[in-house]
């Protein structure tokens, strides 16, 4: 139950007493939170500059936009394309890149630093997950993240520019492509039109490319790196296999369910040929788990689809990715732990491997903190606004899971509610455990108490 | 992780081979489910008899009413007082008594049978929880449940009859008192008026008495028995102390929150003097965790109150009680396990006692199965009905947690939806683990696999 967040051993490693004073002792949750907060502060200032916008925006609008960009959420209170100047859009693009890529890089550094700090068993775990053990390879690995991301984005920019060049001319095609490639790979969900990607709902090349980018970004770095290094299924780690299979299964199941739910909805897919129905069902099946782009009018989808989308947002994507939610790994462990208990087995297993008990406890803690956060968010917004429960639940889930889908109330809710959404995006991006870290100061206890029994269920 | 539901060792005890054929081997979940199903079937038949009702009802209405009575839920599709004859009301009263008391008695038998079956450690646990170890005392203990319940009900009947006799005359006062006493102590929430107890919202004696009855009934038998036997706080078991403190805290906090949320709502408490506001806030703070009676118009309460009530219904009351929900013990363990993890402690503790790991796993399993059940129920009802999300979520939670509060849509939803509600009441009463028992056949596995790592959160 120790080591719930890997410590950066640059900061923690014990040094000779004489050197101690020079060591700055901050744990990763603190560094992470401070880094994101600083980035948001800088972003807020830059976006508030007169030449960042076509018409003046309020401080709250600036804070909301900067937070949404840094946390790669994509919820907006102003129309991004119409409000911001070229400078403003460049700032937003950089905030997205720093928030998305920066987080992935930091997560890698934090996870890899496990290697030098703890016992052989954990080193083997770190090796299995990260394929890295030595501190020497940290730099190389972090570099690999950056290179992989930039290469993926560059390919997307080239492809989109070629597709759009006849329509929009070279400069506009290139600029738009860059914005969308960065926004998509980082699962940011930022768009240039108030309709989202609805204008492109029949440009299958664009919507499929965007969805491929954010599905990859949402897998999580360790999975991408594992695939990139190993290339063969049988060589993949248990975690990589689990994430890939779960992603495939959930995406296809969700596509089928949403297709059925929207089949007769003339406001969404009812009037389309079957292949456009398929592409848009696919898009709205995969977008809720991290990206937040929409090719259909989210508010016009059936309420049943909205309820189903709540579940997808709650689950989220891979760990150490641009996605939010409780994360796919957590979801898998919750289901496996329940199944294990019902079958009266002793240990949770996955692909013939045992899942350690403390990971199950971690999954439990993540889920409870997350449920608590969401409940408080919904409850607060219900009190502050006279809006339908479904819209508020959707908005709160979307912010907490850094998804960015909205049924259209983001700009409509009270200022206090928008500040709450800012907090939810921030907390959702840092993850429930980082939040929990600030709530409960870690403190080890060495007393052992006799066992008791509590009635459950 | 074994022994998630205590086996009845009358059925499980190994006998000499020659006697084996005579032994009927059914596990408690099967017996429990079959018993409830049989009771519901008999109830459905009896309530469908021509002389059970003033005007004919459909089979679905009969099934719904019988299920609601046996599972002590209190959701209704017909106006109980106006629809059923004296015979019908007697049948309903008996169904409530059998469903509520029968379950408690059975639960006691099941829990106590732990004693003869398993190791010394569990015997000590059983002793701590039930204050009983020997098989000989089962009969005595089960008898104590019945006697305690009947005494409590008898006192309530006498008190209410005296209060009402001037108003209603002796016979009516006695009959109504009996109906309400049984309905209240078993947390059934059945009433004789379509307005619930709204007509009595200023008869503070009645509403407080009813709330005291269902709060006691919702504590769970083992707590009541523990208090009855020990009488002193310091002698109470850890479980008893935890349940009493949590009940007190949740009830008072909920009372304050609901009072604030309804303060300006002229459809509920805004026009009342402060003491009636207090009594009715108290009533609606305690009713969602098991009882389902209402002294205010549930549908007229603010949507914020409805959202808060969802949480109370989800938590529910004590184990082995007339309440539903995930149960208070489960809720406490979930919170404690999360807190333990965040503080990086090794073991979950409560009142200087260690909570065994398999109880934490049980709490996790209960919660996940329950969340799955509720989500599927809400999703299905959203598809089948064009009704607001808040009303459907409220109805599904109310049925699954056998609460019986409604925002007024029970009779309005489609027949298929009513059948789903019947299933949810049934599943909710049996408990998520009994349901899980049928989904996953228990099977022990003796292979041990190497440890793996899964990224979580
Ligand atoms: K997003
Ligand atoms: K009830």
């Amino acid at each position: 139950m120790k080591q719930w967040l890997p410590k950066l051993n640059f900061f923690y490693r014990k040094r000779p007493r004489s050197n101690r004073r020079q060591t700055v002792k901050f744990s990763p949750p603190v560094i992470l939170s401070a880094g994101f907060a600083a980035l948001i502060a800088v972003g807020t200032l830059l976006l508030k500059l007169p030449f960042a916008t076509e018409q003046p925006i309020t401080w709250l609008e600036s804070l909301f936009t900067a937070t949404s960009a840094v946390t790669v959420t994509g919820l907006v209170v102003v129309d991004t394309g119409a409000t911001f100047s070229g400078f403003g859009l460049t700032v937003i693009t950089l905030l997205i890149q720093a928030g998305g890529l920066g987080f992935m890089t930091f997560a890698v550094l934090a996870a890899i630093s496990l290697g030098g700090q703890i016992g052989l068993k954990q080193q083997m775990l770190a090796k299995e997950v990260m394929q890295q053990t030595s501190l020497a390879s940290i730099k190389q690995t972090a570099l690999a993240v950056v290179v992989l991301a930039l290469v993926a984005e560059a390919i997307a920019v080239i492809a989109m520019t070629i597709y759009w060049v006849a329509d929009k001319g070279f400069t506009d095609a290139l600029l738009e492509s860059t914005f969308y490639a960065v926004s998509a790979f980082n699962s940011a969900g930022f768009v240039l039109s108030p309709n989202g990607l609805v204008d492109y709902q029949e440009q299958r090349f664009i919507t499929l490319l965007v969805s491929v980018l954010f599905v990859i970004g949402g897998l999580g770095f360790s999975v991408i790196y594992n695939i990139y290094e190993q290339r063969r299924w049988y060589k993949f780690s248990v975690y990589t296999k689990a994430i890939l299979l779960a992603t495939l299964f959930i995406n296809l199941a969700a596509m089928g369910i949403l297709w059925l739910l929207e089949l007769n909805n003339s406001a969404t897919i009812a009037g389309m040929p079957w292949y456009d129905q398929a592409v848009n069902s696919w898009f709205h099946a995969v977008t809720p788990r991290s990206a937040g782009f929409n090719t259909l009018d989210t508010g016009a989808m059936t309420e049943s689809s909205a309820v189903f989308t709540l579940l997808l947002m709650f689950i989220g994507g891979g760990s150490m990715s641009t996605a939010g939610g409780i994360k796919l790994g957590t979801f898998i462990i919750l289901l496996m732990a329940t199944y294990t208990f019902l079958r009266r087995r002793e240990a949770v297993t996955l692909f013939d491997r045992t899942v350690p008990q403390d990971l199950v406890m971690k999954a439990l803690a993540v889920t409870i903190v997350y449920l608590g956060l969401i409940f408080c968010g919904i409850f607060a917004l219900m009190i502050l606004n006279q809006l339908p429960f479904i819209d508020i639940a959707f908005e709160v889930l979307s912010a907490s899971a850094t998804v960015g889908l909205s049924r259209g109330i983001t700009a409509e809710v009270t200022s206090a509610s928008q500040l709450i959404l800012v907090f939810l995006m921030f907390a959702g991006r840092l993850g429930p455990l980082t939040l929990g870290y600030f709530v409960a100061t870690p403190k080890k206890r060495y007393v052992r108490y006799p066992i008791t029994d509590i009635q459950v269920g």
Side-chain angles (χ1 to χ4, degrees), chain A:
Chain A
M1 226 152 297
K2 52 189 188 296
Q3 288 296 338
W4 60 272
L5 257 178
K7 287 173 195 152
L8 271 185
N9 57 359
F10 323 123
F11 298 95
Y12 266 86
R13 195 189 297 158
K14 281 195 180 161
R15 302 184 186 208
R17 191 164 274 278
S18 59
N19 282 350
R20 278 257 175 110
R21 258 182 230 168
Q22 300 160 4
T23 316
V24 187
K25 279 192 181 181
F26 290 121
S27 64
V30 176
I31 300 170
L32 202 55
S33 312
F36 269 112
L39 208 52
I40 290 170
V42 171
T44 305
L45 288 173
L46 289 176
L47 292 177
K48 191 71 176 73
L49 291 174
F51 52 90
T53 53
E54 305 288 347
Q55 62 268 21
I57 57 172
T58 66
W59 279 106
L60 179 58
E61 284 165 346
S62 182
L63 170 68
F64 198 98
T65 308
T67 308
S68 186
V70 169
T71 62
V72 293
T73 303
L75 285 175
V76 289
V77 285
V78 295
D79 173 2
T80 312
T83 307
F84 293 99
S85 65
F87 172 78
L89 290 176
T90 308
V91 169
I92 290 175
T93 312
L94 292 175
L95 290 177
I96 291 171
Q97 189 73 284
L101 198 60
F103 183 83
M104 284 172 85
T105 319
F106 181 90
V108 171
L109 289 174
I112 288 181
S113 70
L114 264 170
Q117 243 241 330
I118 41 173
L120 194 65
K121 209 171 93 183
Q122 275 92 341
Q123 281 196 38
M124 284 168 62
L125 292 185
K127 193 179 174 189
E128 190 175 334
V129 178
M130 300 301 307
Q131 315 296 328
Q132 300 290 333
T133 44
S134 73
L135 288 172
S137 56
I138 289 181
K139 210 176 141 189
Q140 181 200 325
T141 318
L143 200 70
V145 191
V146 178
V147 170
L148 277 173
L150 293 181
V151 166
E153 288 173 6
I155 293 172
V157 170
I158 294 169
M160 282 199 252
T161 307
I162 292 170
Y163 184 86
W164 272 335
V165 71
D167 242 23
K168 304 181 191 255
F170 181 74
T171 317
D172 274 8
L174 182 67
L175 291 175
E176 270 202 41
S177 295
T178 309
F179 185 85
Y180 278 114
V182 172
S183 181
F185 186 76
N186 291 290
S187 302
F190 268 86
V191 288
L192 296 170
S193 149
N195 303 324
L197 296 178
V198 173
D199 306 338
Y200 303 127
Q201 68 181 190
E202 280 158 24
Q203 297 191 15
R204 291 180 290 280
F205 177 76
I206 295 295
T207 54
L208 286 176
L209 181 61
V210 164
S211 70
V212 166
L213 283 174
F214 67 66
V215 167
I216 292 175
L219 288 173
F221 164 74
S222 65
V223 171
I224 300 172
Y225 194 74
N226 194 212
I227 296 170
Y228 166 77
E229 275 217 326
Q230 304 297 337
R231 321 242 161 142
R232 302 261 160 90
W233 177 261
Y234 69 92
K235 282 185 171 177
F236 292 166
S237 71
V238 168
Y239 177 71
T240 300
K241 286 182 192 168
I243 292 297
L244 289 179
L245 286 180
T247 299
L248 188 71
F249 175 77
I250 293 178
N251 287 352
L252 291 181
M255 175 181 168
I257 289 169
L258 287 173
W259 196 344
L260 283 175
L261 290 175
E262 294 299 320
L263 198 55
N264 296 316
N265 186 350
S266 56
T268 55
I269 65 169
M272 294 179 180
W274 70 267
Y275 43 86
D276 276 333
Q277 291 186 341
V279 170
N280 286 287
S281 299
W282 159 263
F283 198 92
H284 275 264
V286 293
T287 191
R289 290 198 305 108
S290 75
F293 291 101
N294 60 305
T295 61
L296 303 170
D297 177 357
T298 316
M301 292 174 78
T302 65
E303 295 205 357
S304 308
S305 294
V307 170
F308 186 68
T309 304
L310 291 179
L311 175 67
L312 295 174
M313 296 198 284
F314 181 76
I315 296 171
S319 299
M320 295 201 286
S321 78
T322 53
I326 58 169
K327 303 285 159 59
L328 207 42
T330 311
F331 185 68
I332 293 169
I333 288 191
L334 289 180
L335 293 189
M336 287 309 299
T338 304
Y339 178 77
T340 302
F341 185 84
L342 291 178
R343 295 206 79 160
R344 299 189 212 177
R345 284 182 185 158
E346 292 289 334
V348 180
T349 59
L350 197 62
F351 291 115
D352 295 350
R353 289 285 182 285
T354 300
V355 178
Q357 190 66 41
D358 58 341
L359 279 184
V360 179
M361 296 302 289
K362 186 176 174 184
L364 173 66
V366 167
T367 308
I368 298 301
V369 173
Y370 205 71
L371 284 173
L373 188 72
I374 289 169
F375 179 80
C376 292
I378 292 176
F379 189 43
L381 259 70
M382 286 297 292
I383 293 173
L384 292 169
N385 301 276
Q386 295 294 322
L387 288 166
F389 182 46
I390 183 72
D391 294 347
I392 283 178
F394 201 90
E395 194 79 10
V396 167
L397 249 299
S398 179
S400 314
T402 68
V403 172
L405 289 171
S406 174
R407 289 175 62 85
I409 64 167
T410 323
E412 223 177 287
V413 297
T414 61
S415 300
S417 309
Q418 288 177 355
L419 279 176
I420 291 171
L421 291 176
V422 164
F423 171 74
L424 290 176
M425 291 191 278
F426 187 69
R429 186 70 180 120
L430 289 170
L433 289 190
T434 308
L435 187 74
Y437 178 87
F438 289 104
V439 176
T441 320
K443 191 182 160 190
K444 255 193 126 81
R445 182 153 66 175
Y446 294 97
V447 190
R448 283 199 179 269
Y449 293 112
I451 285 175
T452 185
D453 192 42
I454 301 293
Q455 287 166 36
V456 153

